[in-house]
Amino acid sequence: MQSLTEENYLKIIYHLSENNDNAVQTNAIAEKMQTKAASVTDMIKKLADKRLVDYKKYQGVKLTENGRLTAINVVRKHRLWEVFLVEKLNFKWDEVHDIAEDLEHINSTELIERLDEFLAFPKSDPHGDPIPDKNGKFDAIPFTKLSKLAPGSTGLITGVSEHSSLFLKHLEKLGLTLGKALQVKEITDFDGSVELIVEQKNISVSREVARHILVKI
C-alpha cells in the first residue's frame, strides 16, 4: 500500500506523461509538487525501490505498469468523488477539486465500486475528464480546442483543460458550462479573441480562455 505522498507523486508523473512517452524530468515534478528537486529525487528513489517507477539519473522517470495502474486508480477515485460532490451534494464545479484531493486517498475498493454503481457508472467528471473503469480503461471522449475552430463552426462544450477555481468561476459567469451549444461567430486577427453565440447571446473570450475550452463538433 502506498502513502498519500507516494500516491500524489505517481498521479503527478501520470499527468505529466499523459500525452507523450518521454521520461518526466524531476524539475517538472518539483514544480507541480511545489517542492525542491532534491526532495523529488529522494521520493523517486523510494518509488523505484517499490518498482512503481523506472528512474535513470539525468534521464528522468517513467511509471512502471504497476505504477501506472496505481496512478489511474487514484485518478478514478478523484473523478468519481467530484461527480458525487456535484451531483449529490450540490457543490459547484469550481469547489470540488481540493475536497476530492483528500477523498481520493481513501483505500477501500468496495467503497469505490459502490460509489461508481450509485452514480450509475459515469464516464466523465464535472470538468469533462474521462473516468476510467475498475480495470483502468478509459472511454475516448472526442474533443477539439475551441481555439482551433473556424468561424461558423458549431459544437457542444464537453470539457476544460484548466481546472483552477478562478478559471471555472469565469466560465460560470459567462455561461460557458458543460453541455452548452455554441457557434463561433468571429475570430479577431489582432489578439485571437473569439466571438461566440451561446443561447442567442454574444460572448467574447480571449485566445487563452478558448485554448482551455474543449468542444465536441
Side-chain angles (χ1 to χ4, degrees), residues 23-26 41 44-45 48 53-63:
V24 176
Q25 300 303 311
T26 53
T41 301
I44 294 302
K45 289 177 179 178
V53 301
D54 288 325
Y55 172 65
K56 293 182 180 178
K57 196 173 183 179
Y58 307 122
Q59 294 184 31
V61 59
K62 287 187 175 184
L63 294 174

Side-chain angles (χ1 to χ4, degrees), residues 186-206:
E186 185 180 354
I187 300 174
T188 305
D189 292 333
F190 174 67
D191 60 3
S193 59
V194 182
E195 297 289 333
L196 302 170
I197 300 174
V198 181
E199 295 181 337
Q200 299 182 331
K201 296 179 181 178
N202 292 323
I203 297 173
S204 178
V205 298
S206 69

Side-chain angles (χ1 to χ4, degrees), residues 11-12 53 59 76 78 92 128 139 159 187 207 217:
K11 186 176 67 170
I12 290 295
V53 301
Q59 294 184 31
R76 179 175 184 243
H78 182 103
K92 294 182 179 179
D139 277 357
I187 300 174
R207 176 166 47 193
I217 56 177

Side-chain angles (χ1 to χ4, degrees), residues 94-112:
D94 60 280
E95 298 175 326
V96 295
H97 178 76
D98 289 345
I99 303 172
E101 284 282 295
D102 293 328
L103 294 171
E104 70 185 25
H105 299 292
I106 297 174
N107 283 304
S108 171
T109 301
E110 183 176 358
L111 171 63
I112 297 305

